[in-house]
Amino acid sequence: MTGPQRAFLFFLHAFLLTLFPFKPASSARIEAEALLRWKNSLPPSPSLNSWSLSNVRNLCRWTGIRCNTVGSVSQIDLSDASLSGTIENLDFNSFPNLTSLNLSGNSFNGSIPSGIGRLSRLVLLDLSNNVLEGSIPAEIGNLTEIQYISLYNNNLAGEIPYQIGNFRKIEYLDFGANYLKTPNWSRIPSFPLLKHLSFYQNELHLGFPGFISGCLNLTFLDLSNNHLKGHVPESLFTNLVKLEYLNITANSFEGPLSANLRKLSKLKDLRLPNNFFTGYILDSISLISDLRILELFNNSFQGKIPASLGQLRSLERLDLRMNSLNSMIPPEIGQCTNLSYLALAQNSITGSLPLSLSNLTNLDELGLSDNSLSGEFSPHFLSNWTKLTSLQIQNNSFTGELPSEIGLLTNLSYLLLYKNAFSGSIPREIGNLRNLLTLDLSTNHFSGEIPPTIGNLTNLSLLRLYSNNLTGTIPSMIGDLQSLEALDLSTNWLSGQLPESISNLVMLNTLSVFTNNLSGILPRELGRNSPSLASVSFSNNSFSGELPPGLCSGCALNQFTVNNNRFSGPLPDCFKNCMNLTRVRLEDNRFSGNISEAFGVHPNLEFLSVSRNQFTGQLTPKWGQYKQLTSLQMDHNRISGVIPAEIENLTQLHVLILDSNELTGPVPAEMGTLKQLFRLSLSNNQLNGEIPRSIGQLTSLQFLDLSRNKLTGNIPDVLENCKGLQSLSLSNNFLSGDIPSELGNLVRLQYLLDLSNNSLSRMIPPSFGKLNSLENFNLSHNNLSGRIPSALSGMISLGNFNFSYNKLSGPIPSGDRFSRGPANAFIGNSGLCGAVEGLSPCEATSSRSESQDKLPQEVDGYGILGGMKWQVVLMGYGCGAVVGIILALFLF
Amino acid sequence: MSFLSILCFFLCFSSALSTNSEGNALHALRTRLSDPNNVLQSWDPTLVNPCTWFHVTCDTSNHVVRLDLGNSNVSGTLGPELGELKHLQYLELYRNNIGGKIPKELGNLDKLISMDLYGNKFEGKIPKSFANLKSLRFLRLNDNKLTGSIPRELTTLSNLKIFDVSHNDLCGTIPVDGPFASFPMESFANNRLNGPELKGLVSYDFGC
């Protein structure tokens, strides 16, 4: 710029300045035009109707606009004006006299323009509750007159600009509820006038911001919900003595509480939850005598609840949940008569409730759950706690009866008494609690009948009375609980029928009555009016008749367990449409019908048991589509046809039990894909052909039962790959050839090795001597010949064994395990000799080396048979079934 | 109301439907174990009882009689709650990475026929309470890091057929009474054991 030009500009400037006081309209016009340009950039809004070019003269009366004495815009207040768009088109250069800009509570998006720094006279800036994004411009540091700034609740990100350190007059600063990150705190000096500071819910990390301890006028400090860690500096407690509100909830602060905490004697509200504080709750906290809210939950405080807390007479809210406090509740707490919220849950608090707690007549919520509290629940408490809306004392050891005074708590919404030792009957006065939403009395010793007054609780959504000693019938008034979503009465002694009225529960999601003495036919309409019904369990009762046809009409059914009843007939038609089924247990009933027609496509089905029913039909290829199935149990039905090759797709299958049906054809070679399978039983069918060599791919197998079929060919040597086998039964087939010596490598065999009743020939492999865990061993009824290998004396765990009806010869192996074995273990072998009942003694010349040299002296009998009754029964059963499998099938 | 209500819902809906103590005991075991192969995935505590959980076998009264977690690649520790499995006959936890002490509460399992803890990282002593396991026939503790002596009380286990404590860090003398009369020396190999005790001459805890 040349000299004359500069001079010209200077004079022009001076000229304009001299004009200024006389030409206010032109300044106002600039402001009005800037506002209108901005307005025009925004989506139309009726809030700004007064803003128009034709109305420039009334600029100072435009909505949200205030002017100073000379008519220049000094305040813009458009809070809660339903505006959207951005503030990027607001020309901040045009408002030299603006002191207050309030745009809070709109839907402004976009970023905060750096031009905002031009508002050098700005005292108040409120952009809270918008959806502003981007980072806070460094130019904001130019607002050196600012006293109040709130950017609360936007989507601002990036580092907090250290230039805020220039706010030397700031009194109120709220950057809460954004995504702001830690700046270099050392570049931010303390603010001498700051009273209110919030960085609530941002992404601040590293240690405690250092400048804060120097802000000596702070009364309000909220750093909650960040990632700050380390110790809280001692200087906070010694310097900020004006603090009334301190909230550092949900950070990662650690260490013990400072003894200097008591110096914050003006505190009304102290919130330290969800950190890693340790040590004791200091007695001296009681010196903060105006404390109204004290929250210390979810830290690692230990030791006592200080009795001195009783001095905090203003206390309204005390939350010490989720620590490791292990004292009794000090009676002094009863002096805090303003308490409306008392939460001591999830500690290790012991003893009974001090009677003084009945003074807490303002209690609204009381949470004492998950402690070790004991003793009876005095009626005195209940008659004083009539304001309670939530009473949660579950998971303690309270005893005695539930006082009838419970009926006085008519404001209760939540009553959770589960997992205690309450006894006696459920007081009928419980029907007075008409505001109840949740009632859980489960897992106590309540006896007697369910009071019919329970039908009054029409707001109840969850009712759990399971695992008590309740008797009598289910009252039909339960059908009046129109809001009920979950009903669990399982594991009691309830009898009679399920009341018809239960079909009226339109919100019902969970219905569980398993393990009672219920009987009769289910209500015909059950499920028809309950479209959300997802979980149903009637297991272990004596229900009979057919399942109601509308049971699954809502198609929400997920878990359906009705095992161990006397249900009969087909499954309801709607069943096959239940796409959400995950768990189905129908076993031990008298269901009939074609198994493949009863089920549809259930892609989420994980567990299916239909064992011990009267299902017929064949397994169609469809069964290969249940890809999530982990357990498929269909034993003891009348299912026929072949096992479909598509079973190879059930790769999640762990348990496959199809025994005792009428299956024909081969064991599908495709089953080699079932790598997770650990239990496979196909016994007692009509399967034929050879055992596929792919069986060696089932490397997870622990229990394999192919007995009682018509299998032919050799035992595949690849069985040795099934290294985890604990039980192997191939008995009662037409297997022939040698026993592969590789079976001796199945050293995990423990429960059973049964190859009996086949046509196996030649030698018993000496490798069986390695099976030193095997307890039950049967080779009877084959064509085995030669000697019983002396190596079999290595089978030191044998309890029951059977070599009978073969062509074996020579001496029996040494050791009293064999000589003291079951009486008939060796009969039917013409050539065996030895010192066993029924065998002739061996010739001295031929038997010396095997049967005499290492025979131990007579030791006291081990009582093998006496201690193993069930195994004897098993062997007597003579079918090679694995008891473990049978047992498993009787279960849910 | 909000905080407690939320807590309530969390606790209510996560609390097990089952009150079966055996199921609770097994679920407690699950929480102690790290299970990279997901062999415990089916152990859902909300089920009626643990009898449909994989690797758990029950009898007709729904009592747990077998626990088969051998070779399952689980690690962690055992807890006292296993003593709740009063009907357990087979406790098969062999070849895993389970460490810590063997809980003395296993001595409560008086129906136990077989206890296979071999091939783990158990440390500490063999609990004396094992002397209560009158039905025990198979006790294999080999290949662990057990210390101390073999409790003399075990000589009262008249049904014991197999006893293997080889490859530990045990000390003292080897009992000779009761079933110990017939156990082979391999069952005691690779310890700091001092050979069969000389009754009446040496203290039982000699060398410990």
Side-chain angles (χ1 to χ4, degrees):
Chain A
M1 197 179 287
T2 60
Q5 280 173 322
R6 195 178 294 165
F8 171 74
L9 272 176
F10 174 80
F11 285 114
L12 179 65
H13 195 204
F15 173 71
L16 285 172
L17 279 176
T18 55
L19 282 180
F20 186 67
F22 310 107
K23 289 266 191 183
S26 75
S27 152
R29 185 161 195 99
I30 290 170
E31 291 171 337
E33 283 173 356
L35 289 171
L36 288 172
R37 272 199 306 278
W38 181 46
K39 174 193 173 180
N40 291 335
S41 78
L42 302 178
S45 164
S47 312
L48 302 182
N49 278 353
S50 61
W51 293 23
S52 76
L53 203 52
S54 58
N55 197 23
V56 168
R57 267 193 307 177
N58 289 320
L59 168 66
C60 297
R61 279 183 236 131
W62 284 7
T63 303
I65 303 299
R66 290 272 167 80
C67 300
N68 60 11
T69 50
V70 295
S72 177
V73 173
S74 63
Q75 295 185 25
I76 301 176
D77 183 352
L78 294 171
S79 56
D80 301 310
S82 306
L83 297 171
S84 55
T86 78
I87 55 175
E88 288 160 15
N89 292 312
L90 182 57
D91 180 10
F92 296 104
N93 284 321
S94 305
F95 303 98
N97 297 306
L98 195 64
T99 58
S100 173
L101 176 59
N102 185 348
L103 304 178
S104 68
N106 288 290
S107 300
F108 289 117
N109 55 32
S111 60
I112 300 175
S114 59
I116 202 158
R118 306 270 167 74
L119 301 173
S120 58
R121 297 192 176 169
L122 204 63
V123 173
L124 180 144
L125 175 61
D126 191 345
L127 303 178
S128 63
N129 293 308
N130 281 289
V131 282
L132 298 169
E133 57 195 28
S135 55
I136 302 173
E139 290 80 359
I140 205 155
N142 298 339
L143 305 179
T144 53
E145 294 298 315
I146 198 89
Q147 294 172 24
Y148 181 109
I149 183 167
S150 177
L151 305 179
Y152 171 78
N153 195 23
N154 280 286
N155 294 331
L156 299 168
E159 285 187 13
I160 295 171
Y162 67 86
Q163 289 84 352
I164 66 167
N166 299 335
F167 296 168
R168 301 320 300 159
K169 297 183 177 172
I170 194 79
E171 294 178 21
Y172 184 106
L173 190 155
D174 190 346
F175 286 178
N178 282 290
Y179 301 97
L180 298 169
K181 293 205 162 66
T182 295
N184 182 354
W185 294 122
S186 67
R187 299 188 70 164
I188 301 181
S190 295
F191 302 100
L193 303 176
L194 191 62
K195 291 178 183 151
H196 182 114
L197 175 60
S198 173
F199 290 136
Y200 154 76
Q201 194 156 339
N202 276 288
E203 305 282 334
L204 301 184
H205 60 287
L206 302 176
F208 198 91
F211 76 90
I212 291 178
S213 296
C215 301
L216 301 183
N217 277 307
L218 267 186
T219 58
F220 181 103
L221 176 57
D222 189 349
L223 301 178
S224 61
N225 293 73
N226 279 287
H227 313 297
L228 298 169
K229 61 184 180 185
H231 288 251
V232 178
E234 223 37 39
S235 52
L236 177 114
F237 305 114
T238 52
N239 293 356
L240 304 186
V241 294
K242 294 185 176 174
L243 267 186
E244 295 175 16
Y245 179 100
L246 174 58
N247 188 351
I248 55 173
T249 303
N251 280 284
S252 300
F253 290 117
E254 59 186 46
L257 285 186
S258 164
N260 286 320
L261 180 60
R262 67 187 161 82
K263 295 188 173 160
L264 303 180
S265 59
K266 298 242 169 74
L267 272 181
K268 294 185 171 72
D269 199 331
L270 176 58
R271 306 185 193 213
L272 311 179
N274 292 320
N275 279 290
F276 300 108
F277 288 114
T278 51
Y280 301 103
I281 299 176
L282 303 174
D283 275 330
S284 57
I285 219 166
S286 64
L287 299 174
I288 310 175
S289 57
D290 291 334
L291 214 49
R292 291 201 305 240
I293 295 178
L294 176 57
E295 291 184 347
L296 303 178
F297 65 86
N298 199 12
N299 281 288
S300 299
F301 291 115
Q302 51 173 311
K304 291 183 178 174
I305 301 172
S308 62
L309 290 181
Q311 296 165 28
L312 297 173
R313 300 299 163 85
S314 302
L315 207 56
E316 293 165 12
R317 185 180 178 92
L318 176 60
D319 195 339
L320 307 180
R321 275 178 297 151
M322 303 163 81
N323 280 291
S324 303
L325 303 172
N326 59 6
S327 66
M328 317 244 276
I329 299 176
E332 289 80 356
I333 296 285
Q335 298 165 10
C336 303
T337 52
N338 283 309
L339 270 181
S340 66
Y341 179 105
L342 176 57
L344 305 176
Q346 296 190 59
N347 280 287
S348 303
I349 300 171
T350 56
S352 55
L353 298 184
L355 274 177
S356 63
L357 293 189
S358 59
N359 296 332
L360 303 180
T361 54
N362 287 309
L363 271 186
D364 175 24
E365 296 186 47
L366 176 60
L368 304 175
S369 68
D370 303 277
N371 280 294
S372 303
L373 292 163
S374 57
E376 298 204 0
F377 209 79
S378 160
H380 205 54
F381 295 137
L382 297 174
S383 47
N384 281 291
W385 292 347
T386 53
K387 289 186 183 169
L388 274 183
T389 61
S390 173
L391 175 58
Q392 303 191 24
I393 59 171
Q394 69 270 21
N395 261 319
N396 279 289
S397 303
F398 287 112
T399 52
E401 299 201 2
L402 182 61
S404 60
E405 284 80 355
I406 191 77
L408 299 172
L409 308 188
T410 51
N411 292 307
L412 265 190
S413 293
Y414 299 93
L415 178 56
L416 306 186
L417 306 183
Y418 63 85
K419 288 192 182 170
N420 277 289
F422 286 113
S423 55
S425 55
I426 299 174
R428 60 187 308 283
E429 289 79 1
I430 212 145
N432 299 344
L433 310 182
R434 289 168 195 265
N435 289 310
L436 268 190
L437 303 174
T438 297
L439 174 59
D440 195 336
L441 308 181
S442 55
T443 318
N444 278 289
H445 307 309
F446 285 114
S447 55
E449 303 201 358
I450 300 173
T453 53
I454 217 157
N456 297 337
L457 308 180
T458 49
N459 290 310
L460 204 60
S461 69
L462 186 137
L463 174 58
R464 284 180 174 164
L465 304 177
Y466 66 82
S467 291
N468 278 291
N469 298 319
L470 299 173
T471 52
T473 56
I474 300 174
S476 63
M477 295 74 173
I478 225 154
D480 297 338
L481 305 180
Q482 281 302 304
S483 307
L484 203 62
E485 294 173 23
L487 174 62
D488 194 339
L489 306 177
S490 58
T491 319
N492 278 291
W493 303 97
L494 299 169
S495 54
Q497 286 186 256
L498 210 58
E500 292 282 343
S501 61
I502 227 162
S503 329
N504 301 337
L505 301 176
V506 292
M507 308 288 287
L508 201 63
N509 163 303
T510 300
L511 173 58
S512 184
V513 295
F514 65 81
T515 316
N516 276 290
N517 292 331
L518 298 165
S519 57
I521 297 173
L522 295 178
R524 179 80 181 162
E525 293 301 304
L526 186 62
R528 189 85 74 191
N529 307 314
S530 313
S532 307
L533 198 57
S535 176
V536 172
S537 180
F538 299 130
S539 307
N540 298 333
N541 282 289
S542 301
F543 288 115
S544 54
E546 295 192 10
L547 294 175
L551 188 62
C552 34
S553 49
C555 283
L557 215 53
N558 171 344
Q559 304 221 359
F560 185 67
T561 56
V562 301
N563 52 302
N564 204 13
N565 278 286
R566 291 178 204 145
F567 288 115
S568 56
L571 300 184
D573 273 345
C574 58
F575 204 76
K576 61 167 75 73
N577 301 327
C578 294
M579 301 288 282
N580 298 327
L581 282 174
T582 58
R583 184 173 177 86
V584 176
R585 300 190 63 186
L586 307 178
E587 72 266 25
D588 295 297
N589 280 290
R590 294 164 195 165
F591 288 114
S592 56
N594 185 314
I595 188 75
S596 295
E597 289 170 9
F599 287 85
V601 175
H602 311 287
N604 301 313
L605 194 60
E606 292 173 12
F607 189 104
L608 175 61
S609 173
V610 301
S611 304
R612 294 174 299 283
N613 278 289
Q614 293 160 15
F615 284 110
T616 54
Q618 304 195 357
L619 294 177
T620 59
K622 173 178 76 181
W623 288 89
Q625 296 177 24
Y626 299 168
K627 300 228 165 110
Q628 299 300 317
L629 208 54
T630 63
S631 183
L632 177 58
Q633 305 178 28
M634 295 186 159
D635 57 287
H636 293 86
N637 280 285
R638 285 186 281 126
I639 300 166
S640 56
V642 300
I643 301 173
E646 287 79 3
I647 204 163
E648 69 183 327
N649 297 323
L650 304 183
T651 52
Q652 296 303 310
L653 214 52
H654 288 63
V655 172
L656 177 58
I657 299 179
L658 301 176
D659 68 87
S660 306
N661 278 292
E662 294 163 12
L663 296 168
T664 52
V667 176
E670 291 82 357
M671 278 177 62
T673 56
L674 308 182
K675 304 287 187 212
Q676 315 262 23
L677 205 59
F678 73 86
R679 199 180 277 277
L680 173 59
S681 176
L682 304 177
S683 78
N684 197 17
N685 278 293
Q686 309 287 322
L687 300 173
N688 55 30
E690 300 198 359
I691 300 173
R693 289 187 65 79
S694 59
I695 203 145
Q697 297 166 25
L698 302 180
T699 51
S700 299
L701 268 187
Q702 295 178 355
F703 301 87
L704 174 59
D705 190 353
L706 302 179
S707 66
R708 291 186 291 159
N709 278 293
K710 295 174 176 171
L711 300 172
T712 53
N714 295 336
I715 298 175
D717 52 6
V718 290
L719 263 177
E720 75 165 322
N721 298 332
C722 306
K723 295 226 183 299
L725 271 179
Q726 296 182 11
S727 179
L728 171 60
S729 180
L730 305 176
S731 70
N732 289 282
N733 279 292
F734 301 125
L735 299 170
S736 56
D738 292 358
I739 298 176
S741 65
E742 289 84 353
L743 294 193
N745 296 330
L746 297 173
V747 295
R748 296 271 176 278
L749 277 174
Q750 178 197 33
Y751 194 79
L752 179 67
L753 174 56
D754 190 349
L755 307 179
S756 67
N757 287 288
N758 279 293
S759 304
L760 301 167
S761 55
R762 290 199 282 275
M763 296 285 289
I764 297 173
S767 61
F768 279 2
K770 291 187 280 187
L771 304 179
N772 60 10
S773 294
L774 189 64
E775 297 170 31
N776 299 295
F777 180 43
N778 195 345
L779 297 179
S780 69
H781 296 277
N782 277 294
N783 293 320
L784 299 169
S785 57
R787 294 190 173 189
I788 299 176
S790 62
L792 263 52
S793 59
M795 303 174 80
I796 52 179
S797 301
L798 273 191
N800 283 283
F801 54 88
N802 196 341
F803 295 95
S804 67
Y805 300 101
N806 277 291
K807 295 171 181 168
L808 298 166
S809 59
I812 62 170
S814 64
D816 56 50
R817 264 180 198 103
F818 289 95
S819 62
R820 291 185 163 267
N824 295 328
F826 297 106
I827 65 168
N829 287 287
S830 54
L832 283 180
C833 64
V836 173
E837 190 181 326
L839 294 188
S840 49
C842 298
E843 300 274 330
T845 49
S846 65
S847 60
R848 174 182 302 276
S849 61
E850 299 230 346
S851 67
Q852 289 184 348
D853 50 359
K854 288 185 83 175
L855 210 64
Q857 59 276 67
E858 294 280 322
V859 289
D860 49 334
Y862 284 133
I864 295 173
L865 296 176
M868 304 176 48
K869 285 195 189 104
W870 56 276
Q871 287 161 321
V872 173
V873 169
L874 161 71
M875 299 304 279
Y877 195 52
C879 60
V882 176
V883 168
I885 293 173
I886 292 174
L887 292 183
L889 295 180
F890 275 108
L891 312 174
F892 283 75
Chain B
M1 176 145 24
S2 57
F3 259 127
L4 284 192
S5 312
I6 290 164
L7 181 67
C8 149
F9 276 99
F10 176 73
L11 290 173
C12 295
F13 290 106
S14 64
S15 79
L17 289 171
S18 164
T19 56
N20 181 298
S21 69
E22 297 178 18
N24 292 344
L26 288 171
H27 190 249
L29 172 66
R30 181 184 179 175
T31 62
R32 289 173 186 280
L33 296 178
S34 156
D35 176 25
N37 295 1
N38 289 325
V39 296
L40 307 179
Q41 198 166 27
S42 67
W43 289 26
D44 177 354
T46 65
L47 299 180
V48 178
N49 60 35
C51 298
T52 56
W53 297 0
F54 295 153
H55 312 295
V56 173
T57 308
C58 293
D59 63 12
T60 51
S61 311
N62 289 337
H63 290 302
V64 175
V65 293
R66 291 191 68 106
L67 181 56
D68 286 297
L69 294 176
N71 270 321
S72 297
N73 197 22
V74 291
S75 56
T77 58
L78 304 183
E81 61 279 349
L82 276 183
E84 299 291 315
L85 303 173
K86 303 282 188 206
H87 299 263
L88 197 66
Q89 296 177 347
Y90 289 83
L91 176 57
E92 306 297 327
L93 302 177
Y94 56 84
R95 302 234 165 113
N96 285 297
N97 290 308
I98 307 172
K101 291 186 175 171
I102 300 176
K104 64 177 188 301
E105 289 78 5
L106 292 186
N108 299 342
L109 308 178
D110 57 6
K111 303 262 171 57
L112 210 59
I113 292 171
S114 172
M115 181 179 345
D116 285 321
L117 306 183
Y118 64 86
N120 280 290
K121 293 172 179 171
F122 287 111
E123 55 195 38
K125 294 185 174 183
I126 301 173
K128 286 184 175 143
S129 60
F130 281 8
N132 301 328
L133 304 174
K134 297 304 181 195
S135 305
L136 199 65
R137 289 164 51 204
F138 311 102
L139 177 56
R140 282 172 278 233
L141 306 175
N142 47 294
D143 296 278
N144 279 294
K145 297 171 177 174
L146 298 170
T147 52
S149 59
I150 299 170
R152 298 307 115 171
E153 291 83 351
L154 299 190
T155 59
T156 62
L157 296 177
S158 57
N159 286 314
L160 203 57
K161 293 283 179 17
I162 306 271
F163 179 81
D164 194 343
V165 292
S166 59
H167 301 273
N168 277 292
D169 202 14
L170 299 170
C171 59
T173 52
I174 299 170
V176 294
D177 291 328
F180 283 80
S182 51
F183 298 142
M185 287 309 291
E186 299 83 61
S187 297
F188 306 96
N190 287 76
N191 279 290
R192 291 187 290 120
L193 293 165
N194 283 306
E197 64 195 26
L198 303 168
K199 282 162 85 177
L201 294 179
V202 215
S203 129
Y204 284 155
D205 292 331
F206 176 82
C208 271

